[in-house]
Amino acid sequence: VTLLVTPLAMLGAVWAPLWDAAGWVLQCLGIYLQWLATWPFAAISMAAPALWAGVAAVAAGVLLALRLPWGIRLLGVPLLLPALLWQPPRPNTGQFELLAADIGQGNAVIVRTASHTLVYDTGPRFGRDSDAGNRVLVPLLRATDEKVDIVMLSHRDADHIGGAPAVLSMQPQAGLISSIEDGHELQALRKSTRCVAGQQWEWDGVRFEVLQPQAADYEAKLKSNGMSCVLRIAAARQADGGEAVALLAGDTEEPQEQRLVQQGARLKADFLLVPHHGSKTSSSDAFLNAVKPRISLAQAGYRNRFNHPAPQVVQRYREHGLELQDSPHCGAAKWSSTQPEQLRCNRAEAQRYWHHFLPE
């Protein structure tokens, strides 16, 4: 680039054919780089280390680069090991944690057990070349070195599946569970398994159960919100032996909420991902009485055009004595089955001077 491309590009102002020569050199460079990218370990993805490990690695680099005897410089190698071998802490067996990413108007939740990871929805698509997958979820999954086992897309709406192509491309081993139709374009990228009420599996002592939709709903051709996959996640609490439960409700609306209540589904939960981002068509009184969550989170965009969560819904949660948080105030939100009464908000724990803090 320095010896050929730049001089040719500048000389092209004097003699235009040199610009073609510069373009040809760039094409050759591209072919060479593509060949290098095919080598084993051409790119290595590692978890972002803790601050102390990163500082130690920088000190190691400085020590290795100094003009000192090699016997002294090699002392930097042990300082590199914490950063190279760093693994983010995971929940203990029998427990799980949720991270609701800050992706604007949409849903995207990462669920982690002791050795497995599930991504529930992948956030919105912002434009032809930009979505919550490549802008938020892929960097986040790389930073924590996650190997996703299942991507569950609640339904076909763009604010729930917009980031799916980026996440699925990054995680080739991940299975796909969804209610999207057989002809959907995502089926060409990864064949989907239908989510159907009654599906269950267990990871590391944590139970996963699909509560909605019913198998007959696929033939009834309900609108997309009515086909939302509702996922119940339960773990045994360490203190009292009871269950710590999270309920991820997608864009479920009142008819589906009423059906779940009438069918006697196990809805009681400590954490509730607020249905339909707090739309006035969801969070019915009967549903809230059945769930009775300790903490509810509405994943919604700042000043979104839908006015989510709707004022009447916010008031309804207050009347039921339920704690309701939303993404504009909380940012990325973390919840753990070991502390079911607590929601950790990134905007509160990692304040920055450029953050705009909304009034309560």
Side-chain angles (χ1 to χ4, degrees):
V1 172
T2 301
L3 297 178
L4 293 176
V5 177
T6 302
L8 289 172
M10 296 178 68
L11 290 172
V14 179
W15 191 45
L18 291 177
W19 283 332
D20 294 330
W24 181 81
V25 173
L26 275 177
Q27 289 179 350
C28 293
L29 177 61
I31 294 172
Y32 173 63
L33 293 176
Q34 288 177 352
W35 174 67
L36 288 180
T38 62
W39 286 26
F41 303 106
I44 299 176
S45 179
M46 301 175 62
L51 178 60
W52 66 267
V55 171
V58 172
V62 172
L63 186 60
L64 287 168
L66 291 176
R67 291 189 175 183
L68 296 173
W70 272 106
I72 298 177
R73 294 163 71 178
L74 288 176
L75 293 177
V77 174
L79 294 176
L80 282 173
L81 295 180
L84 294 176
L85 302 178
W86 177 261
Q87 291 294 323
R90 299 190 68 93
N92 294 326
T93 299
Q95 303 297 332
F96 70 99
E97 64 184 20
L98 308 178
L99 172 58
D102 190 3
I103 43 81
Q105 181 68 22
N107 279 159
V109 180
I110 299 173
V111 184
R112 302 169 75 237
T113 68
S115 61
H116 293 85
T117 302
L118 178 143
V119 174
Y120 182 88
D121 284 341
T122 56
R125 186 175 182 85
F126 307 122
R128 188 179 65 177
D129 300 315
S130 178
D131 57 65
N134 55 45
R135 287 181 57 179
V136 179
L137 292 179
V138 167
L140 181 57
L141 292 169
R142 281 179 178 157
T144 52
D145 196 28
E146 298 292 342
K147 298 296 183 290
V148 177
D149 298 276
I150 290 176
V151 174
M152 177 174 283
L153 304 177
S154 62
H155 62 299
R156 62 167 297 159
D157 285 4
D159 57 336
H160 295 256
I161 68 171
V167 173
L168 292 172
S169 296
M170 177 216 180
Q171 302 283 342
Q173 77 290 336
L176 178 61
I177 299 178
S178 180
S179 63
I180 59 175
E181 64 274 20
D182 293 338
H184 195 280
E185 59 186 12
L186 279 176
Q187 298 282 9
L189 184 61
R190 189 77 46 85
K191 185 63 177 175
S192 170
T193 300
R194 283 182 173 181
C195 62
V196 180
Q199 288 174 329
Q200 298 184 48
W201 68 93
E202 184 171 314
W203 286 341
D204 308 312
V206 178
R207 294 178 297 281
F208 294 75
E209 181 182 1
V210 177
L211 303 182
Q212 217 262 151
Q214 300 293 327
D217 293 341
Y218 286 92
E219 307 303 325
K221 300 188 183 301
L222 301 178
K223 66 178 185 177
S224 60
N225 288 346
M227 295 299 297
S228 292
C229 306
V230 176
L231 182 63
R232 182 182 188 270
I233 311 169
R237 288 192 190 127
Q238 295 177 340
D240 57 10
E243 286 187 323
V245 178
L247 190 65
L248 309 183
D251 275 0
T252 301
E253 296 187 320
E254 186 170 354
Q256 289 74 43
E257 292 177 353
Q258 298 295 337
R259 184 173 66 178
L260 287 170
V261 172
Q262 293 169 3
Q263 291 176 342
R266 294 188 297 170
L267 297 176
K268 181 71 177 71
D270 298 281
F271 174 90
L272 171 65
L273 184 66
V274 173
H276 204 176
H277 322 286
S279 167
K280 62 184 179 181
T281 63
S282 304
S283 296
S284 60
D285 287 309
F287 182 75
L288 295 181
N289 283 331
V291 180
K292 295 180 181 177
R294 296 188 185 205
I295 294 173
S296 305
L297 175 68
Q299 273 193 304
Y302 174 56
R303 290 184 173 179
N304 65 85
R305 64 190 177 95
F306 308 102
N307 198 28
H308 293 160
Q312 58 266 48
V313 172
V314 174
Q315 181 61 30
R316 195 177 302 150
Y317 277 81
R318 289 174 179 167
E319 291 172 353
H320 283 263
L322 304 175
E323 179 182 348
L324 176 63
Q325 293 278 1
D326 60 38
S327 300
H329 289 90
C330 190
K334 299 179 182 178
W335 181 86
S336 173
S337 61
T338 59
Q339 296 178 305
E341 71 289 342
Q342 180 181 357
L343 186 73
R344 297 170 54 194
C345 293
N346 187 259
R347 288 177 67 86
E349 294 187 353
Q351 293 185 19
R352 299 292 186 267
Y353 69 87
W354 59 82
H355 283 170
H356 168 55
F357 286 93
L358 303 177
E360 294 295 335

